[in-house]
Amino acid sequence: MLMRLTLSVIKADVGSVGGHTQPSSLMMATVIGEAAQAVDKGLLIDSFVCHTGDDIAIIMTHTKGEGSAAVHQFAWNTFLAATSVAKTSGLYGAGQDLLVDAPSGNIRGAGPAVAELSFNHSLSDSRPAESFMVFAADKCGPGAYNLPLYLAFADPMYCAGLMLPPMIKGFRFHVIDMDHTAGDSIIELDAPADGYHIAALLRDNERFGIDRIVSRTYDEVVVAVSAQRLHAIAGKYTGKDDPVAIVRNQGIFPAPEEIVSPFAKAHFVGGDARGSHVMPLMPVPLNTPVTGMYCLPIVSCAGFSIDKDGRFSESHTDFFDNPAWDEVRRRAQSKAIEMRSQGWSGAAMLPYSELEYGGFRDTVSGLLKRFRLREERKPEAAE
Ligand code: 13P
Ligand code: MG
Ligand code: MG
């Protein structure tokens, strides 16, 4: 049977216990309950709920298509229900990512991170089994996946599978200019031919982000990323952007190990405390709270298979919950200690334009007003 299946991941930070660490168990139970009801009512085929730091992710399959008002409104109302639990319990940052009042229809741009992709789910010869991964990051800037996804989909040093016939034509990168807030401004570039152009954009994690990646051989969407800047939307500090990504894997696409291996770098991204530092991205198991020293950017990765009816396998894979990643976590922590020993100086903190706390800018603009030209060095008045 052929079905047009949509995978939607919608994630939001709507409150947390003891500071910005993790949602409460009652908040999680509320979201899980709402998602189960949406499945019972037939809105969703299946759902899975987890958290990364203080962000709750709802992972869904359905046939309503991308940007479906019904699916988006379900997610919004569910986050409102979790917000009200957070408010009742006096939790920190209740409703933080719900930036607008009652958005109608599609909630992209309203605060929560949204990644969606659709495909013909027929379990055919070219795709005899469907499997995918969901990355979710917390305390983290919007372009955190730029480098790892570039390496997995454009560099055979990381993904030797790119040299195989189904992938050798490469992948098309849709790159979004996140400074453009009135609508999505996208450029499409083909790897490997445009590889250097892609890199020239993706090196700027704060402005440009991968929006999606498409197989050039099969014209199938393989990656969808939520690439948006919350503070650009809200015009004020709102917490970090904390992106999510859906990545299909195996067969005509890279294998899971080829997709996760670039995360072994624990590369430096914007984020961390007050969304204002440059710190390494630490891969962590699902449902990890943010409790370490500093406030490290973290990323989790869940894997699923999908049966012929669009339902998730009865169990999932937690990719970063493996001793292999302990070594990376240790390295991330030691990179973090090194970087933070530099405190506020230079590369250790984000440039002023990217500081998520506008207050830092206010401090400096207050000082700028007090600068005076020295009397003895004043330029001669024009004659
Ligand atoms: P979150 O909003 O992602 O929790 O991050 C806030 C922050 O700036 C941490 O210091
Ligand atoms: Mg938070
Ligand atoms: Mg968060």
Side-chain angles (χ1 to χ4, degrees):
M1 192 187 70
L2 176 77
M3 97 192 326
R4 186 77 185 158
L5 191 68
T6 301
L7 294 179
S8 298
V9 179
I10 305 187
K11 179 178 78 55
D13 176 348
V14 289
S16 43
V17 185
H20 51 219
T21 60
Q22 63 181 338
S24 69
S25 3
L26 193 51
M27 288 170 71
M28 289 299 286
T30 303
V31 175
I32 290 167
E34 295 286 326
Q37 274 189 34
V39 173
D40 285 346
K41 286 185 194 148
L43 172 67
L44 306 177
I45 298 173
D46 212 344
S47 71
F48 181 86
V49 178
C50 56
H51 73 86
T52 305
D54 58 7
D55 298 351
I56 303 177
I58 314 175
I59 302 169
M60 301 166 265
T61 47
H62 57 89
T63 53
K64 314 284 182 222
E66 293 163 40
S68 150
V71 171
H72 281 228
Q73 287 298 308
F74 150 73
W76 186 267
N77 290 329
T78 298
F79 286 130
L80 278 180
T83 297
S84 103
V85 171
K87 280 193 176 142
T88 307
S89 310
L91 303 190
Y92 174 78
Q96 174 188 283
D97 284 355
L98 308 183
L99 299 181
V100 301
D101 287 333
S104 57
N106 189 328
I107 63 167
R108 255 188 98 232
V114 180
E116 300 184 291
L117 57 77
S118 307
F119 51 88
N120 291 331
H121 185 52
S122 58
L123 301 183
S124 58
D125 286 351
S126 70
R127 198 77 184 137
E130 183 59 49
S131 50
F132 72 99
M133 306 145 96
V134 172
F135 290 91
D138 188 30
K139 317 299 180 205
C140 196
Y145 304 125
N146 282 2
L147 178 62
L149 288 177
Y150 175 87
L151 295 175
F153 285 87
D155 189 339
M157 292 290 282
Y158 290 81
C159 176
L162 294 171
M163 298 182 286
L164 295 170
M167 286 186 268
I168 201 150
K169 260 179 81 180
F171 289 89
R172 177 158 301 157
F173 285 67
H174 295 213
V175 176
I176 186 165
D177 179 352
M178 295 180 282
D179 275 359
H180 194 96
T181 48
D184 293 347
S185 180
I186 305 276
I187 185 173
E188 294 182 20
L189 294 166
D190 287 345
D194 297 323
Y196 298 164
H197 291 101
I198 297 170
L201 295 175
L202 296 187
R203 60 160 293 281
D204 186 344
N205 285 332
E206 312 301 328
R207 174 162 182 188
F208 299 105
I210 295 170
D211 174 71
R212 52 184 53 213
I213 302 177
V214 180
S215 158
R216 293 184 61 208
T217 304
Y218 295 90
D219 199 28
E220 285 273 333
V221 180
V222 54
V223 169
V225 184
S226 66
Q228 294 193 310
R229 305 209 303 176
L230 290 187
H231 73 289
I233 298 167
K236 61 177 168 46
Y237 175 76
T238 47
K240 260 298 174 195
D241 308 273
D242 300 342
V244 290
I246 303 171
V247 185
R248 298 168 73 195
N249 65 25
Q250 301 275 194
I252 59 172
F253 304 132
E257 64 277 18
E258 290 164 331
I259 296 162
V260 295
S261 66
F263 287 90
K265 288 186 184 305
H267 66 301
F268 287 105
V269 297
D272 197 75
R274 304 182 194 282
S276 301
H277 294 260
V278 177
M279 289 289 262
L281 182 62
M282 180 186 274
V284 295
L286 299 182
N287 304 325
T288 297
V290 171
T291 54
M293 65 188 92
Y294 321 129
C295 183
L296 278 192
I298 58 172
V299 61
S300 67
C301 179
F304 301 88
S305 286
I306 302 179
D307 74 9
K308 65 176 183 9
D309 299 319
R311 279 191 301 260
F312 297 142
S313 40
E314 91 295 343
S315 62
H316 64 276
T317 297
D318 186 343
F319 276 97
F320 294 140
D321 186 15
N322 180 299
W325 293 97
D326 290 344
E327 177 62 22
V328 175
R329 285 190 268 275
R330 258 194 303 276
R331 237 167 3 88
Q333 186 60 29
S334 79
K335 284 173 78 166
I337 291 170
E338 280 305 315
M339 188 56 114
R340 268 307 191 89
S341 73
Q342 193 170 314
W344 42 259
S345 178
M349 275 187 93
L350 286 167
Y352 277 97
S353 56
E354 294 302 332
L355 293 172
E356 301 277 332
Y357 268 55
F360 285 124
R361 273 190 292 278
D362 298 342
T363 302
V364 172
S365 14
L367 293 171
L368 284 176
K369 290 192 195 107
R370 292 170 47 197
F371 276 74
R372 297 285 178 269
L373 284 172
R374 269 200 191 119
E375 278 305 319
E376 64 272 26
R377 296 263 179 91
K378 262 189 185 165
E380 294 296 323
E383 296 194 354

